[in-house]
Amino acid sequence: MAGAEAISQNSRDHLMNVAEELMAAQGYHRTSIADIRRASGLPVGSIYHHFKSKSGLLAAVIERGSRRFFANLPRAVNISGSTEEAMRAYWSAAAATIAEHISYFQLEADIVWHGAADPELAAVVAKATGYARDQLVDVIEPFAQEAGVVDPRALAVELALTSVTFVRGAVIESGGDAAYLERKIGALYRLLRADIVAQGADRGAGP
């Protein structure tokens, strides 16, 4: 039984790897189940056994990619130094990791761009966005609080969602140029930091 489960899991992982590669290169809508079958060497029945539908396969790919991405980043509580140093270190690690896995982020951006009218795809995007938001809030909020922002939680949520939107746009604009993408994410960090510091200073200045 254990051997059969391992084979099944290997097949599932293989299908996700193939689907991610094809969808990132061709786009979700231009990638068919037949394409995935041919590239994977597995029967159509195996695809539907594991994922039920093409959108189900996509959801699994996006969830895996999102969790894999954040698992490769340091947790805010584990980064030594000040809250600002922790945020800077996190952004630097994020920029490098996004550049390293740019094909996944190209796929995610493609889904955002083309999937708004599709309820199933919109749900996949919303789930990925919510997960990213929560992870980013954890690293932004401590610095915002230390900077003296009136409502650090609200600002952290706003900036986290702004970051997700910015990165998705930068991925599209980059055309796969990892160095360009890293520069853009570095610029995003500087803008976020400046906004947090300015809002903290506004509070300190009083009415």
Side-chain angles (χ1 to χ4, degrees), residues 16 25 45-46 56 60 73 91-92 107 110-111 121 140-141 144 186 203 207:
M16 284 196 287
S46 181
L73 299 182
W91 242 257
S92 178
L107 170 59
D110 176 69
I111 299 308
L121 298 187
I140 296 171
E141 185 178 3
R203 179 185 182 185

Side-chain angles (χ1 to χ4, degrees), residues 28-171:
Y28 171 76
H29 291 290
R30 291 185 296 276
T31 301
S32 67
I33 288 292
D35 292 333
I36 296 168
R37 179 193 62 76
R38 282 192 296 270
S40 68
L42 295 173
V44 170
S46 181
I47 299 173
Y48 287 113
H49 168 72
H50 288 294
F51 303 105
K52 311 305 180 188
S53 66
K54 190 174 82 164
S55 60
L57 173 53
L58 170 70
V61 167
I62 294 295
E63 181 174 1
R64 182 186 69 167
S66 181
R67 294 188 180 280
R68 183 173 56 194
F69 167 65
F70 284 105
N72 286 332
L73 299 182
R75 292 186 60 81
V77 295
N78 295 331
I79 303 174
S80 60
S82 67
T83 57
E84 180 180 357
E85 289 169 336
M87 191 171 79
R88 184 169 62 247
Y90 190 92
W91 242 257
S92 178
T97 304
I98 290 171
E100 182 180 353
H101 299 285
I102 196 167
S103 64
Y104 162 76
F105 288 94
Q106 287 175 315
L107 170 59
E108 188 187 76
D110 176 69
I111 299 308
V112 172
W113 183 260
H114 296 289
D118 185 324
E120 285 187 301
L121 298 187
V124 171
V125 170
K127 185 174 182 179
T129 299
Y131 187 72
R133 177 203 59 216
D134 293 345
Q135 299 297 313
L136 293 173
V137 164
D138 286 346
V139 74
I140 296 171
E141 185 178 3
F143 178 53
Q145 184 172 12
E146 189 174 275
V149 172
V150 174
D151 189 341
R153 178 73 179 184
L155 180 62
V157 170
E158 178 185 349
L159 294 181
L161 290 172
T162 299
S163 297
V164 172
T165 301
F166 179 97
V167 169
R168 284 171 175 164
V171 166

